[in-house]
Amino acid sequence: MATQDFLFELGTEELPPKALKTLSAALEAEALAGIKEVLGKDAGALLADAKVTSYAAPRRLALLIENLVAEVPAAEFLMQGPPSRIAYDGDGNPSKALEGFARKCGTEVSALEEIDGKMCFRQQTEAKPLRSELAEVMHNALNKLPIPKRMRWGASRVEFVRPVQWLVMIFGDEVIDCEMLGVKSGRKTRGHRFHHNRDIELMTAAEYATTLKESGMVVADYQARLEDIRAQVIAEGEKLGGVAQIDEDLLEEVASLNEWPVALTGRFEERFLDVPAQALISSMKEHQKYFHHEDKDGNLMPNFTTICNIVSKDPQQVIEGNEKVIRPRLADAAFFFETDKKRTLESRVEDLKSIVFQKDLGTLHDKAERIATIAQRVASDLGNSTEQAARAAMLAKTDLMSDMVFEFTDLQGLMGYHYALHDGEDTDVAKAMDEQYMPRFAGDELPETGAGIAVAIADRLDTLTGLFGINQPPTGSKDPFALRRAALGVLRIMVERNLDLDLRELIAVAADSHKNLPARDGLEDKVLDFMLERFRAWYEDEGIAVDVFLSVLAVKPTKPLDFDTRVKAVNHFRTLAEAEALAAANKRVSNILTKQGGAVAGEVNEALLQDDAEKALATELAVLSERIQPLFAAGDYQAALEVLAGLRGTVDTFFDDVMVMADDEAVRNNRLVLLSNLRNLFLGVADISVLS
């Protein structure tokens, strides 16, 4: 089948840099979905040789599809109607159902045919050129772009994320004649706003990227532009004898701001290096979009690299202009730092009373006092200093009252660390100022000091119990206080730092620290269930089946470290040859006991054991029970399950030879006690009846 190259380009005023990648990906996805819908059920085969390339630059969104089929092939669709047995009455007249189906198909009853017991209509569609459908496909794709707020311009009622300036629609070497977002299509794109501020005529779709780069000084390929910037910044660092530090989010933003990137490196005064490096970095990155460099020892160098969107005839003048701009920014950071040091963190504790944490949960000062109570309990349980934990908790939020953090909010915690050291606080207390926010994101490092661990856990538990206690848990995708992230952070700290802490007990301490929570009753269980549920995604990411997680959740261990140990033990157990049969046996036992009202307590009466199979099971259970109790006490669940795996043969024989629900009530109850004992041994680790 004949193919052509298709090019779509929408030219606009500068697009939002942080949304550029998202818009480009969405345009490609929606356009392809629309084309597949037009091509029908054979779209996959028809597009097998097509090559799709997205382009995105500050003033354009473009899509090139090479080897796109030129024709929508003819097709036949079979529409099914009512069963043939009710299609006609006894006199051979068509039923109302059949007449209605014919009207729906836009045809006569006589055109219908019977196929496999149903009345059907064969609908034929003729082949048609794909170019006639592409305008509507792209129009629909633009309407579906994820644009939270659209704008209008001029007197037009047209809406888009930014004013539209031009439109290119070429199929092969011909323009697809249409109008979109108030602009008529053509073959003229535009070059660089400064270096080539005029039209560029494209004769074919395939020449788009090459022509723009060679004639228009525009690198339309987003990823190529990004990697070019990365390479230039790295090269600038090497020239300085240092190492360029490339933040990926900053790199993407800069790539979205430039069409023809050129790296230039400037310098700032070394006196500014007395300010904490992260404050200088934040100032350069957030306000100026600069990349910084470190020397071989990891120390910040007094240099920065900026990405210009032009090739300057006098680059030194551009560099000096940037140096002039960054100087007052860094001077502000230095001023904030020196001003903040004039007051101790302790002197700011009282200021926390002026900041409301949440209207129903009090001020930041109230929160600090609650965190101190919880942190002391955490420290006590771990055998760490409760004094350091309490001190760190009371000072933890005080840097929020500093000028530096007010200006650079992402420095909270880090500035607290520097100010605490300046105040002469204990080193671990100072580190806790920063560690309280760890982990900040997935994969982030965890707190290391005893005080940092205590405050990090306490802060999150205070927020969780408080919000649940005032009936404001997360709902759907809404989680304004990031409670899911807070819960996962606590679990990560406890598991990855091997902390033997009882989560339910700590939740109770946190809940009791609040005053007059309207939903206090049962709060421990609600918060615990919410937090343990975060393990589900955790283990899915590790490739552990969800039924393994559910088997442990069923017995609800309250220590996250213990929970994790059980999950790993069950995950190992299911690889054993005996696992499937024992899981099925446990399921059978569970069903039997459930029908009898649950587990049956008591001792097995050996005098009531009649069959050899039940005697063998009773004997083996007694032996294994003594053998695995020390393993349970040591938390060696994997070894315990390996021991219990030896029960398979005895359990299989029991169910083959023994009628549990015997007529004799005493015998029946004795056998139910035996099965209860069997199930309880496995429940010492998990409910393996859940395993599929």
Side-chain angles (χ1 to χ4, degrees):
M1 183 174 287
T3 62
Q4 297 278 11
D5 297 336
F6 169 59
L7 172 67
F8 171 87
E9 183 195 46
L10 188 71
T12 69
E13 293 299 325
E14 275 73 5
L15 293 161
K18 293 185 178 180
L20 187 61
K21 274 187 69 177
T22 301
L23 291 173
S24 179
L27 179 65
E28 177 182 332
E30 296 295 348
L32 285 178
I35 291 172
K36 288 177 181 178
E37 185 176 349
V38 169
L39 294 177
K41 58 185 178 65
D42 295 325
L46 294 171
L47 294 175
D49 296 328
K51 179 184 176 183
V52 183
T53 307
S54 290
Y55 297 98
R59 296 194 300 150
R60 68 200 74 227
L61 289 171
L63 184 67
L64 174 64
I65 306 179
E66 299 172 87
N67 300 320
L68 181 61
V69 292
E71 185 179 75
V72 180
E76 178 181 274
F77 299 94
L78 190 67
M79 299 179 66
Q80 292 187 335
S84 54
R85 56 184 172 79
I86 63 168
Y88 296 92
D89 61 20
D91 298 326
N93 298 315
S95 65
K96 290 185 177 181
L98 187 64
E99 290 177 340
F101 175 63
R103 283 195 301 273
K104 178 181 177 182
C105 297
T107 187
E108 301 294 330
V109 170
S110 58
L112 304 178
E113 57 183 298
E114 182 182 353
I115 300 176
D116 294 333
K118 286 194 173 183
M119 302 304 296
C120 301
F121 175 63
R122 294 183 186 273
Q123 185 177 25
Q124 306 283 340
T125 59
E126 297 181 358
K128 58 183 177 182
L130 179 61
R131 60 174 292 125
S132 63
E133 306 293 323
L134 289 174
E136 184 176 357
V137 166
M138 298 311 301
H139 185 266
N140 291 337
L142 290 175
N143 286 338
K144 293 178 181 178
L145 291 184
I147 302 173
K149 190 173 183 180
R150 296 173 182 254
M151 65 179 294
R152 297 176 185 169
W153 55 95
S156 171
R157 305 293 292 179
V158 174
E159 294 183 346
F160 196 58
V161 63
R162 289 292 184 268
V164 176
Q165 300 294 328
W166 74 89
L167 174 65
V168 176
M169 289 269 284
I170 302 176
F171 195 46
D173 58 1
E174 296 182 5
V175 172
I176 297 177
D177 188 25
C178 66
E179 184 175 310
M180 209 171 294
L181 296 176
V183 179
K184 188 171 176 57
S185 63
R187 61 171 72 248
K188 292 182 180 179
T189 184
R190 295 184 191 175
H192 193 284
R193 185 184 286 279
F194 304 111
H195 290 305
H196 196 98
N197 192 19
R198 50 191 180 276
D199 292 341
I200 300 174
E201 190 167 15
L202 300 169
M203 302 314 297
T204 65
E207 67 183 74
Y208 174 71
T210 303
T211 301
L212 260 184
K213 185 174 183 179
E214 294 178 354
S215 300
M217 291 188 72
V218 172
V219 181
D221 188 312
Y222 183 93
Q223 196 60 35
R225 200 166 62 250
L226 182 145
E227 294 304 329
D228 180 33
I229 294 171
R230 187 197 303 276
Q232 289 190 54
V233 174
I234 291 173
E236 291 296 306
E238 291 173 348
K239 289 178 187 177
L240 295 169
V243 180
Q245 302 301 305
I246 299 179
D247 179 279
E248 292 298 322
D249 289 339
L250 176 61
L251 180 62
E252 289 187 0
E253 187 174 0
V254 171
S256 300
L257 287 167
N258 294 276
E259 293 181 316
W260 191 264
V262 177
L264 297 174
T265 296
R267 183 178 178 83
F268 57 85
E269 299 165 54
E270 291 193 25
R271 66 183 177 89
F272 291 125
L273 294 178
D274 292 336
V275 178
Q278 193 57 47
L280 303 180
I281 294 167
S282 291
S283 183
M284 290 188 286
K285 183 173 71 172
E286 292 182 16
H287 294 300
Q288 304 304 132
K289 313 305 175 190
Y290 292 165
F291 296 92
H292 67 284
H293 303 273
E294 294 179 355
D295 62 22
K296 301 300 183 182
D297 296 323
N299 300 312
L300 179 66
M301 299 178 70
N303 304 94
F304 63 87
T305 295
T306 182
I307 303 299
C308 297
N309 195 31
I310 58 171
V311 180
S312 175
K313 295 178 181 178
D314 188 0
Q316 186 57 38
Q317 189 173 339
V318 177
I319 291 172
E320 290 174 359
N322 279 276
E323 290 175 342
K324 186 177 180 180
V325 169
I326 194 59
R327 190 174 297 115
R329 292 288 189 186
L330 300 184
D332 285 345
F335 174 77
F336 294 145
F337 184 56
E338 293 303 321
T339 302
D340 287 339
K341 287 194 298 183
K342 293 177 182 178
R343 287 188 62 187
T344 63
L345 292 181
E346 185 175 16
S347 72
R348 299 177 188 273
V349 172
E350 194 69 16
D351 296 347
L352 296 176
K353 293 180 179 179
S354 65
I355 306 298
V356 175
F357 166 62
Q358 202 279 342
K359 65 181 182 66
D360 296 318
L361 299 176
T363 65
L364 281 181
H365 190 274
D366 297 326
K367 182 174 179 63
E369 291 182 326
R370 295 193 300 265
I371 294 174
T373 300
I374 307 164
Q376 288 181 86
R377 172 59 183 269
V378 173
S380 175
D381 288 352
L382 295 176
N384 296 327
S385 170
T386 57
E387 292 79 9
Q388 285 185 352
R391 180 68 173 172
M394 288 307 300
L395 298 179
K397 306 303 178 185
T398 52
D399 70 341
L400 298 177
M401 314 305 296
S402 67
D403 291 339
M404 184 73 87
V405 174
F406 183 81
E407 180 69 16
F408 303 107
T409 56
D410 60 330
L411 296 181
Q412 58 185 290
L414 182 63
M415 294 313 302
Y417 163 73
H418 288 288
Y419 295 146
L421 286 180
H422 177 266
D423 294 346
E425 297 288 348
D426 183 273
T427 302
D428 282 1
V429 171
K431 288 181 178 179
M433 300 298 97
D434 188 34
E435 291 180 338
Q436 64 176 304
Y437 297 106
M438 298 177 182
R440 292 176 172 85
F441 50 85
D444 188 27
E445 59 185 309
L446 301 175
E448 294 181 354
T449 65
I453 288 171
V455 175
I457 292 174
D459 188 5
R460 290 166 170 83
L461 290 182
D462 173 73
T463 302
L464 282 159
T465 54
L467 270 295
F468 270 82
I470 59 173
N471 292 309
Q472 289 193 28
T475 56
S477 61
K478 295 182 179 179
D479 189 5
F481 285 86
L483 298 186
R484 294 184 180 92
R485 188 171 63 196
L488 192 56
V490 172
L491 297 179
R492 276 198 62 200
I493 293 170
M494 291 184 177
V495 171
E496 295 179 30
R497 288 286 183 239
N498 293 309
L499 307 180
D500 188 28
L501 293 170
D502 191 303
L503 187 54
R504 195 180 193 283
E505 291 180 1
L506 293 178
I507 292 171
V509 172
D512 290 340
S513 299
H514 288 275
K515 298 176 182 178
N516 303 320
L517 290 177
R520 178 63 183 85
D521 291 344
L523 185 58
E524 290 89 346
D525 288 330
K526 291 176 184 176
V527 177
L528 180 63
D529 290 344
F530 173 79
M531 295 184 71
L532 293 181
E533 182 63 29
R534 301 309 105 203
F535 269 130
R536 182 190 296 263
W538 175 325
Y539 293 123
E540 285 179 356
D541 290 342
E542 291 186 358
I544 296 176
V546 68
D547 58 346
V548 173
F549 157 73
L550 292 174
S551 72
V552 177
L553 185 66
V555 299
K556 202 173 180 179
T558 58
K559 295 182 176 181
L561 182 61
D562 183 60
F563 193 111
D564 184 67
T565 305
R566 291 170 187 256
V567 165
K568 288 175 177 159
V570 175
N571 197 48
H572 169 74
F573 170 75
R574 72 178 307 168
T575 66
L576 303 179
E578 299 87 353
E580 185 176 354
L582 286 172
N586 268 267
K587 180 71 172 176
R588 185 171 179 180
V589 171
S590 176
N591 290 337
I592 291 172
L593 295 177
T594 299
K595 289 179 181 178
Q596 301 306 310
V600 181
E603 297 284 337
V604 173
N605 187 342
E606 294 185 7
L608 294 174
L609 298 175
Q610 298 179 345
D611 297 328
D612 291 342
E614 63 179 326
K615 292 176 182 177
L617 180 59
T619 300
E620 194 162 356
L621 286 180
V623 172
L624 291 186
S625 180
E626 289 189 11
R627 186 177 169 189
I628 66 173
Q629 289 308 320
L631 297 176
F632 283 159
D636 192 351
Y637 301 115
Q638 181 170 315
L641 285 175
E642 288 175 346
V643 170
L644 290 174
L647 283 168
R648 176 188 174 179
T650 307
V651 171
D652 286 347
T653 303
F654 175 86
F655 280 114
D656 288 341
D657 297 351
V658 177
M659 174 68 71
V660 176
M661 304 308 292
D663 293 334
D664 187 314
E665 183 178 358
V667 172
R668 179 171 68 248
N669 288 338
N670 199 51
R671 289 173 179 172
L672 291 174
V673 170
L674 182 62
L675 291 183
S676 292
N677 292 345
L678 168 66
R679 180 152 170 76
N680 286 337
L681 281 181
F682 282 95
L683 288 176
V685 181
D687 184 357
I688 68 167
S689 70
V690 174
L691 299 181
S692 57

